[in-house]
Amino acid sequence: ATDAGAESVVAAYGAAVEAGAKAVVGPMTRSGVAALAASGKVAVPTLALNQPEGDVAVKRPLYAFGLGVEGESRHVARLAWRDGARNVVVVSTPGALGKRTREAFVDEWLVLGGVVTDVLEVLPGADPAALRAAVERKPADALFLAAGGETARSLRLQIGGQLPVYATSQVNTAPADRLRNFDLAGVRFVDMPWIVQPDHPSAAGFARPAGLEGDAARFYALNQLLNRGDTRRIQQRNRSQTQHDIAIAA
């Protein structure tokens, strides 16, 4: 354990290697992964449990494998493109996470050749009628929702059902609660098979502790994958820049 500061992360890593570690799992924070990747001191196979912040390159034997929302956003952009969408309106909440989510989607969408008709940042207490009017002002054939949890459910109701809606796993905070998720009917999002396909082969044979939801459940699933020693699949996911096994739900 460290205080997650750059120096302490690199120092703890060096101490582990000097003590004879043949492989290392961690760090977990984006800043810690960035510090280790930039240190030039990665000497043994190392599985970081997050993506580095900034533009730090991840080179072998360091593998970055996490639940980063940027990777999901890019995947959703490609999904919407394959579904035939070409003009997309983006609806986002304010804050760092909403910004990272929408910017990753927009960047990928433009690379694909798509058009972003508008980017709407919705503040708390915004007028639902005004939001719907803003969405309809510039015609689009799909909508990307960069929001999570109850906020996503509320925005989904305000937006209405006139457009196909895409999102990341942020919207899926209570997968077992069918009543709460009714508001998300028709929304296409990506998530781990462990969450949306409990009978998936990658999730078979593992206990499911009660009460685990959201990212806690996702990190638990990741830990089970690591404990099983399925590192080749992790390396394959790293090379393809996909953050974790992905399933599509709607």
Side-chain angles (χ1 to χ4, degrees):
T2 73
D3 62 7
E7 292 184 1
S8 63
V9 166
V10 175
Y13 179 86
V17 173
E18 288 182 8
K22 301 301 182 184
V24 176
V25 176
M28 289 188 65
T29 65
R30 287 166 54 85
S31 60
V33 177
L36 183 59
S39 71
K41 297 181 178 180
V42 181
V44 299
T46 302
L47 181 62
L49 300 181
N50 213 327
Q51 298 296 312
E53 61 184 7
D55 297 322
V56 180
V58 176
K59 300 178 181 179
R60 296 183 183 181
L62 175 63
Y63 299 91
F65 182 84
L67 306 180
V69 71
E70 292 89 348
E72 285 191 12
S73 297
R74 289 189 289 269
H75 187 90
V76 171
R78 295 190 293 271
L79 170 64
W81 183 265
R82 288 197 299 268
D83 285 347
R86 294 297 180 265
N87 302 290
V88 168
V89 59
V90 176
V91 175
S92 169
T93 53
L97 183 59
K99 181 181 180 188
R100 285 167 47 202
T101 303
R102 69 175 182 256
E103 287 185 349
F105 177 90
V106 169
D107 288 348
E108 184 70 17
W109 192 250
L110 295 178
V111 168
L112 291 168
V115 174
V116 178
T117 62
D118 210 345
V119 177
L120 306 172
E121 185 174 274
V122 184
L123 299 175
D127 179 11
L131 172 59
R132 185 173 297 193
V135 168
E136 296 173 349
R137 188 175 303 127
K138 299 178 181 179
D141 44 34
L143 183 147
F144 177 66
L145 182 58
E150 298 302 325
T151 302
R153 292 180 177 86
S154 175
L155 289 174
R156 177 68 175 90
L157 290 174
Q158 294 176 39
I159 291 165
Q162 69 271 34
L163 290 175
V165 177
Y166 295 82
T168 69
S169 63
Q170 294 178 65
V171 302
N172 194 30
T173 54
D177 193 331
R178 292 179 178 270
L179 183 60
R180 285 177 64 191
N181 285 335
F182 183 79
D183 294 336
L184 298 176
V187 175
R188 301 202 75 193
F189 62 90
V190 295
D191 210 335
M192 303 178 78
W194 179 280
I195 305 296
V196 296
Q197 294 178 307
D199 56 347
H200 190 277
S202 67
F206 293 119
R208 291 175 174 268
L212 281 182
E213 291 187 348
D215 283 344
R218 296 180 182 95
F219 274 112
Y220 176 82
L222 173 58
N223 181 64
Q224 295 301 309
L225 185 64
L226 294 173
N227 285 340
R228 190 167 60 185
D230 205 347
T231 55
R232 186 169 65 177
R233 287 180 62 196
I234 290 169
Q235 293 174 10
Q236 289 171 345
R237 294 294 181 267
N238 184 71
R239 288 196 292 271
S240 66
Q241 296 183 332
T242 301
Q243 308 312 310
H244 47 69
D245 289 346
I246 288 176
I248 301 167

